[in-house]
Amino acid sequence: MTERIAVIPGDGIGREVVPAALSVLDALALEFEYVEGEAGDELREETGEALPRETYELAEAADATLFGAAGETAADVILPLREAVGSFVNVRPARAYPGVDALRPETDLVFLRENTEGVYSGHENRLSEDLSTLTRVVTTSASERLAEFACEYVERGGHDGFTVAHKANVMRETDGRFREAVLSVADERGVEAEEVLMDAFATHVCLDPEGFGVVVCPNLAGDVLSDLAAGLVGGLGLLPSANVGEENGLFEPVHGTAPDIAGEGRANPTAAILSAALMLSHLGYEAEAERVESAMTGVLSDGPRTPDLGGDAGTEDVTEAVVSRL
Ligand code: NAI
Ligand code: MG
């Protein structure tokens, strides 16, 4: 069956790493049909709109979407796109790879980040010259849905259980609700769940990353803590992500547009290539996903490497090395 893939490179290095991921997918010679959509800062400059209706509908109708990054318009682009594909969880693996100089080479984490609410629900108000407010939204239904996903994820992956990170000692109502919903689903399903206060987690994970595996988080905490984990394993160029939920999915690197290196051809394509591997796995192409992951980890181990990993290779050199292993 032909899979229809929406491809939305966006801005900055999104336009360098998404083509890299596509070259890797091409090497697998699968029956994929790619349809490109526009979004981001540059499009807004040209047309006044960061995310046109066509691009939203493209993602909504596609079997899967591969996204790069958007700059200042990120919130206007990625939040609606995650909604377009019906995603309620953002899966963010953060793993140290052999050959990559990592602060904590023993790190092997997966963040399951709530993807629809929390402080990212967009309810901000300017009430006066001096005062702005934000309404944080937490529902039992979204928290339970995330917990169900987490239980299935740990069962499928053979993990011991998961850790839920929250701050229910201070945000008693919102994180209290989140904590209770997640722990009660785990209890019903007989899945082991530990809890940790998210600020303490930030310290513990740096000192002892092996103490954690699957980490379930509210939206903002998952965003921040996964970037922290990127620092433990060698940088943002390495972290892929899968926005999944009902059926469809959107796959994107955790990093942004990297304006400091955009246009120079030296962005690390690893995060985008591993995002494509997550997409393959989501579409049921498990063997192909493993082949891509193993070719990518082989290149991380033996080189060539981009400057963020201490090498002097360009995006294309790394991509070609992955393709030639395939
Ligand atoms: P960033 O992830 O773009 O860059 C942070 C640092 O990591 C930079 O020094 C960059 O050079 C480096 N880096 C990131 N990806 C890399 C890669 N593949 N290879 C080598 N080095 C890499 O985050 P920053 O600077 O905070 O944000 C830049 C722009 O990106 C902002 O406009 C922000 O709104 C947007 N952004 C968009 C996201 C999205 O579309 N999902 C996510 C995060 C940020
Ligand atoms: Mg982020």
Side-chain angles (χ1 to χ4, degrees):
M1 199 186 71
T2 304
E3 309 280 358
R4 212 173 138 86
I5 313 293
V7 178
I8 309 171
D11 299 310
I13 63 165
R15 297 187 181 187
E16 298 165 44
V17 298
V18 168
L22 289 177
S23 301
V24 169
L25 289 171
D26 278 344
L28 299 170
L30 294 165
E31 277 187 47
F32 283 6
E33 182 197 341
Y34 299 100
V35 218
E36 189 156 330
E38 289 186 304
D41 294 6
E42 274 194 35
L43 187 73
R44 187 180 60 178
E45 264 165 46
E46 285 162 26
T47 67
E49 223 181 357
L51 181 67
R53 191 79 214 158
E54 304 96 82
T55 306
Y56 182 94
E57 284 171 1
L58 200 68
E60 196 177 29
D63 294 305
T65 299
L66 200 56
F67 178 73
E72 277 174 25
T73 57
D76 307 312
V77 172
I78 193 61
L79 299 182
L81 282 178
R82 287 174 182 158
E83 179 209 277
V85 304
S87 160
F88 60 79
V89 52
N90 189 220
V91 182
R92 296 187 156 191
R95 189 173 302 147
Y97 296 99
V100 174
D101 192 18
L103 279 178
R104 285 290 181 192
E106 61 279 48
T107 307
D108 189 0
L109 299 163
V110 181
F111 292 90
L112 302 180
R113 165 187 174 189
E114 204 289 320
N115 219 10
T116 64
E117 51 185 35
V119 291
Y120 284 4
S121 9
H123 304 296
E124 285 198 297
N125 286 297
R126 174 175 292 237
L127 298 185
S128 76
E129 271 311 299
D130 186 48
L131 174 67
S132 296
T133 60
L134 159 69
T135 302
R136 181 172 193 228
V137 177
V138 176
T139 62
T140 299
S141 51
S143 309
E144 285 180 350
R145 180 172 67 172
L146 173 71
E148 295 282 354
F149 183 95
C151 290
E152 275 155 38
Y153 189 90
V154 301
E155 280 164 4
R156 216 172 339 117
H159 301 275
D160 291 336
F162 63 77
T163 304
V164 53
H166 61 75
K167 192 76 185 164
N169 58 333
V170 176
M171 294 179 278
R172 294 189 190 113
E173 180 54 43
T174 48
D175 261 7
R177 180 185 289 273
F178 176 78
R179 169 190 176 274
E180 198 181 315
V182 171
L183 290 177
S184 71
V185 168
D187 186 47
E188 272 165 35
R189 306 244 329 205
V191 169
E192 214 173 295
E194 283 185 353
E195 56 180 314
V196 64
L197 294 175
M198 60 174 79
D199 48 350
F201 171 84
T203 303
H204 292 321
V205 77
C206 292
L207 296 175
D208 176 30
E210 279 175 302
F212 302 96
V214 178
V215 185
V216 176
C217 307
N219 204 338
L220 169 65
D223 195 5
V224 175
L225 296 172
S226 56
D227 271 31
L228 180 138
L232 298 179
V233 303
L236 276 167
L238 296 171
L239 262 61
S241 85
N243 296 280
V244 289
E246 304 301 346
E247 242 179 64
N248 203 331
L250 181 145
F251 303 82
E252 54 164 338
V254 166
H255 64 71
T257 57
D260 51 339
I261 58 163
E264 292 175 12
R266 60 192 180 101
N268 187 345
T270 304
I273 291 171
L274 292 176
S275 298
L278 291 174
M279 180 178 85
L280 287 167
S281 163
H282 183 77
L283 291 170
Y285 296 86
E286 283 301 341
E288 288 83 356
E290 273 168 37
R291 281 180 64 206
V292 169
E293 212 185 301
S294 123
M296 188 68 249
T297 49
V299 171
L300 287 173
S301 160
D302 302 345
R305 296 191 194 94
T306 43
D308 56 310
L309 299 180
D312 57 9
T315 311
E316 284 179 11
D317 305 317
V318 174
T319 308
E320 275 166 27
V322 176
V323 166
S324 79
R325 279 177 187 252
L326 288 169

